[in-house]
Amino acid sequence: MPAYRLSASAEADILAILAYTEEKFGTIARSRYQALLIAGLRDIAADPNRRGSASRPELGHDVRTYHLRHSKEHSRSIQGAVARPRHLILYRVNRHDLIEVGRVLHDAMEIARHLPQQFGDE
């Protein structure tokens, strides 16, 4: 199974998502969203081309997106699952089979405006 590495932007995205979720919906909702994010990252690490992922050549060489709604059931716990996930993972697999996670973005955002600079270089 390929490993993954979060960019500084992706780490900041995750921290902001979790902080917002806790502020607006509480600690339990934050725990559910954290479990969802972990499940999504594990799912793309297990199979970067998994069902639900999409090739995004308009965003750069080998760039893919994966919407977290596809990992919803994998993240279910005693506290439940996120009802309507709204984020996607922007990533690519590099030549060393390492999954580079560039961003974790809200699905209403214009992705091209938030594309990591290195994703557009190749």
Side-chain angles (χ1 to χ4, degrees):
M1 169 167 46
Y4 62 86
R5 179 181 62 214
L6 300 175
S7 70
S9 295
E11 286 181 15
D13 293 338
I14 290 169
L15 291 174
I17 290 164
L18 295 176
Y20 176 84
T21 301
E22 185 167 4
E23 180 183 315
K24 292 291 184 185
F25 305 108
T27 304
I28 293 173
R30 181 194 190 281
S31 294
R32 285 193 300 254
Y33 223 95
Q34 183 173 336
L36 176 64
L37 287 161
I38 291 167
L41 291 167
R42 287 181 178 163
D43 285 347
I44 63 171
D47 180 4
N49 297 312
R50 71 181 303 107
R51 185 171 159 231
S53 71
S55 177
R56 302 297 300 266
E58 75 278 13
L59 299 175
H61 182 69
D62 291 335
V63 175
R64 302 187 70 80
T65 57
Y66 179 73
H67 200 288
L68 290 175
R69 71 175 168 263
H70 299 292
S71 292
K72 180 178 169 179
E73 292 306 314
H74 301 146
S75 69
R76 184 173 295 282
S77 71
I78 195 162
Q79 297 175 333
V82 176
R84 286 176 292 284
R86 294 297 312 264
H87 291 85
L88 56 88
I89 300 171
L90 178 73
Y91 67 99
R92 69 176 174 188
V93 180
N94 71 18
R95 58 186 155 267
H96 305 291
D97 287 334
L98 176 69
I99 296 169
E100 299 173 324
V101 177
R103 298 296 306 260
V104 180
L105 301 172
H106 192 277
D107 59 14
M109 295 174 92
E110 187 177 326
I111 298 171
R113 294 186 66 188
H114 301 280
L115 189 65
Q117 187 175 18
Q118 72 272 20
F119 275 29
D121 291 344
E122 295 183 5

